[in-house]
Amino acid sequence: MKGIVLAGGKGTRLYPLTKVTNKHLLPVGREPMIFHPVRQLVGAGIQDILIITSTEHMGEVVRLLGSGKAFGCQFTYRVQEDALGIADALALAEDFAGGQPVTVLLGDNIFTHSIRGFVRRFLEQDRGARVLLKRVDDPSRYGVAALDEKQVLEIEEKPASPKSSYAVVGAYCYDCQVWDLIREMGISPRGEYEITSVNNCYIRLGQLSYDIVEGGWTDAGTFESLAEANAMMLACENRIGGLQEEKGGRP
């Protein structure tokens, strides 16, 4: 299993904070935002990680993250020259994956709990893909999953009339079929290669499983959700620090 962190995009919803820096370098809690997906992958036992970001911010990202030694992993870097969507960025990872399954995290998605169980359950599947869902108040902002009792029936990207309140969050596991599926898909009306289209391909194959997010989650892509992510992570860090102090450890 290899890991991929997608940290490109223009961050237009966070302008002017993103005028001179990549949004994934903004602070969330006591650390830069991009530290969180990296720590999630390492915590799930994944140590070979590809970071994909934009041309103009690659230098800053490499200076911040380095080789991966400080995180207990090894980084590879790739540039996404044009912001043409998540699936377009993911296509850059085919050689890196080398036929192995991958866990993909969007760099602005913040989880309070480990994704280790999610990754383990995917590895127990024979094939296919796995996504994480979260009930949200504003599903029209996301890819929305239509569900029955056992499976995802369809995912709609930012629907005006959502069929459920379950958003597909930015954590995906894929087998090696994903690269062929990306090659076969076209560009969406929004002018992007949509990860929703990839996931719907797996649905048509009958190979998409899902879990519900444990604990808190937010994407830190707007001013409101960035503030929520900061509050969420500071609360987690303070709680962990308090536990460490009680045990005589370092906060």
Side-chain angles (χ1 to χ4, degrees):
M1 168 70 76
K2 293 191 176 184
I4 301 166
V5 176
L6 303 184
K10 298 178 181 178
T12 52
R13 293 178 297 171
L14 286 171
Y15 189 87
L17 297 183
T18 52
K19 183 176 181 179
V20 296
T21 192
N22 182 288
K23 82 173 173 185
H24 303 90
L25 305 186
L26 297 174
V28 170
R30 295 186 175 92
E31 296 182 328
M33 187 187 302
I34 199 171
F35 281 20
H36 295 279
V38 169
R39 294 196 193 285
Q40 282 286 356
L41 291 172
V42 174
I46 299 170
Q47 286 144 355
D48 200 354
I49 299 172
L50 174 66
I51 308 292
I52 300 177
T53 191
S54 56
T55 305
E56 58 267 38
H57 298 303
M58 178 60 78
E60 294 173 327
V61 171
V62 174
R63 282 195 296 274
L64 175 67
L65 295 177
S67 68
K69 182 179 179 181
F71 299 90
C73 65
Q74 177 177 308
F75 291 132
T76 301
Y77 297 92
R78 288 293 306 271
V79 169
Q80 184 185 22
E81 294 189 1
D82 299 303
L84 294 177
I86 295 171
D88 176 70
L90 182 55
L92 299 173
E94 182 173 7
D95 289 344
F96 166 79
Q100 295 186 41
V102 294
T103 295
V104 184
L105 295 183
L106 303 190
D108 63 355
N109 275 232
I110 306 298
F111 300 86
T112 61
H113 288 52
S114 173
I115 65 166
R116 178 184 288 272
F118 168 65
V119 173
R120 174 179 52 78
R121 285 184 287 274
F122 168 70
L123 291 173
E124 291 170 352
Q125 294 178 208
D126 291 334
R127 56 183 178 175
R130 198 171 193 96
V131 297
L132 266 176
L133 307 181
K134 178 74 173 178
R135 188 188 291 272
V136 297
D137 295 329
D138 52 350
S140 293
R141 283 184 55 208
Y142 306 99
V144 177
L147 304 169
D148 66 10
E149 294 179 355
K150 295 183 178 180
Q151 60 188 351
V152 179
L153 302 175
E154 179 189 15
I155 301 172
E156 293 183 280
E157 184 64 24
K158 297 180 173 63
S161 300
K163 294 179 180 178
S164 82
S165 57
Y166 283 98
V168 181
V169 308
Y172 320 95
C173 292
Y174 297 114
D175 65 8
C176 62
Q177 295 178 90
V178 68
W179 318 115
D180 291 331
L181 297 178
I182 291 173
R183 275 189 286 272
E184 292 170 3
M185 55 184 279
I187 201 162
S188 75
R190 297 196 314 142
E192 295 186 357
Y193 293 91
E194 306 275 4
I195 201 66
T196 291
S197 299
V198 175
N199 293 332
N200 279 325
C201 286
Y202 276 104
I203 290 173
R204 288 191 289 273
L205 292 170
Q207 297 177 15
L208 184 80
S209 302
Y210 73 92
D211 288 321
I212 304 297
V213 172
E214 297 178 25
W217 164 85
T218 189
D219 71 333
T222 67
F223 285 105
E224 294 78 13
S225 59
L226 179 62
E228 180 184 355
N230 270 285
M232 196 166 67
M233 292 312 300
L234 284 170
C236 287
E237 290 161 1
N238 288 337
R239 184 169 64 251
I240 292 169
L243 290 172
Q244 289 175 331
E245 287 182 328
E246 287 178 11
K247 294 178 180 179
R250 295 174 59 188

